[in-house]
Amino acid sequence: MGQINETVYPHYTLANVGATLALAAGIEAPAQSEEPIPAVLNLVKANTVSGKADKLLIFNPDAVALWLYLRYTDFFAPVQRHTQLTLPMRAVMPSVTPVCFGTIYTGAMPAVHGIQKYEKPVIRTDSFFDSAVRAGKKTAICAVDGCSMSRIFLEREIDYFITESDLEAVEKALKLINEDDYDIIVCYQGNYDSTMHGDGTEAQTSLDALLDNAAWFDRLVKAFDKRWAGVDRLCAWITDHGAHDGPDGRGSHGKDITEDMNVTHFWGVTHA
């Protein structure tokens, strides 16, 4: 992977996401979260009848860097088809999955939520999921067994659908959309992260996984829009960190470099 001639990190960090999600849904922000992102909240106000999203679909692809969006922009067409706002975002250090998702859903920096290295304990800090429970929002997480999102937010009064593969997580989320009445569905995807660690960030297997992520997001949002037409709703593509190729040609992350720290989030809001 070539070097990205960009030394300035985006203004907003993952710590701004927790409050943004909560306030977009009309519920209280996690207790220790940082400030929300005004552009997202303005999008919600402009595209809903009630001023909030009553249904949320959150897609969490792992390790999709900003440089991937810049280099393979066409890959993201299925994502941008459903979203109006594309935001460059900055990860937190160390830029590894449990640290970053811990920050995304608590809205707090690692020193606050407690995960500061690659480990997967249950986070006790107040989170978006706790806010959802307090607000009576029926919430589900769909994620492959063993991944960070299958572990670090356990022990809440929400539903966990732990699967054997990333595709099964998508299929479970699709089933929940079509057959149940969840207010918030989170679907985690680790397929690109897995392939890039093994084969490199731009190996064909990795690019195929990236295309799968975009296609799965498209599939889920189409079902979400059909199921909840006429309801104020939000869909979001929220990744955790980026990636770079190491000397051995395999993908890696965890450094304070633009390739690892700069990511892109996509937000879509509609009532139609």
Side-chain angles (χ1 to χ4, degrees):
M1 186 201 74
Q3 295 298 308
I4 303 298
N5 295 319
E6 172 61 68
T7 57
V8 177
Y9 290 144
H11 176 69
Y12 291 109
T13 78
L14 301 182
N16 298 111
V17 175
T20 302
L21 284 169
L23 296 178
I27 63 179
E28 65 181 3
Q32 294 174 278
S33 60
E34 297 198 2
E35 292 298 309
I37 302 169
V40 177
L41 300 185
N42 289 338
L43 183 71
V44 173
K45 291 178 182 178
N47 289 279
T48 60
V49 173
S50 65
K52 59 183 177 62
D54 293 316
K55 301 290 182 182
L56 281 76
L57 173 64
I58 306 166
F59 192 76
N60 289 145
D62 197 309
V64 182
L66 172 61
W67 70 262
L68 281 168
Y69 171 67
L70 297 175
R71 186 165 295 173
Y72 299 99
T73 308
D74 289 350
F75 284 25
F76 293 82
V79 180
Q80 294 192 287
R81 187 177 300 126
H82 300 289
T83 57
Q84 305 103 316
L85 184 61
T86 302
L87 283 178
M89 299 288 293
R90 177 162 45 101
V92 293
M93 280 295 292
S95 49
V96 294
T97 302
V99 175
C100 290
F101 276 118
T103 289
I104 286 171
Y105 285 110
T106 64
M109 295 300 284
V112 177
H113 66 67
I115 303 182
Q116 300 185 71
K117 60 182 179 180
Y118 192 86
E119 60 179 358
K120 303 173 186 178
V122 174
I123 290 176
R124 305 299 176 185
T125 304
D126 196 46
S127 71
F128 169 69
F129 301 111
D130 298 294
S131 294
V133 170
R134 289 192 293 270
K137 296 287 187 180
K138 186 177 180 181
T139 303
I141 295 176
C142 303
V144 68
D145 189 28
C147 76
S148 296
M149 284 299 293
S150 75
R151 295 185 180 182
I152 63 176
F153 292 109
L154 289 173
E155 301 179 20
R156 273 78 178 179
E157 293 180 11
I158 65 177
D159 294 330
Y160 304 91
F161 297 93
I162 310 305
T163 66
E164 294 184 2
S165 71
D166 290 303
L167 178 56
E168 287 179 10
V170 171
E171 291 173 341
K172 175 55 70 173
L174 189 64
K175 185 178 178 66
L176 297 182
I177 291 168
N178 288 328
E179 300 180 11
D180 216 315
D181 188 15
Y182 281 90
D183 301 303
I184 300 167
I185 296 175
V186 174
C187 183
Y188 166 84
Q189 287 298 305
N191 58 337
Y192 175 80
D193 182 71
S194 296
T195 54
M196 72 87 184
H197 275 302
D199 300 332
T201 59
E202 295 180 271
Q204 190 58 54
T205 52
S206 298
L207 297 181
D208 287 345
L210 183 59
L211 285 167
D212 282 342
N213 277 340
W216 291 344
F217 180 83
D218 180 50
R219 183 182 177 195
L220 287 170
V221 178
K222 283 178 178 176
F224 183 64
D225 284 345
K226 182 178 180 180
R227 176 71 172 82
W228 297 112
V231 176
D232 292 328
R233 61 194 185 277
L234 177 151
C235 66
W237 166 294
I238 298 176
T239 193
D240 51 348
H241 55 70
H244 67 278
D245 285 323
D248 61 358
R250 295 175 183 270
S252 185
H253 53 86
K255 295 184 177 182
D256 190 3
I257 59 176
T258 55
E259 290 85 352
D260 290 5
M261 294 292 286
N262 288 357
V263 297
T264 312
H265 290 180
F266 302 87
W267 298 84
V269 181
T270 187
H271 176 84

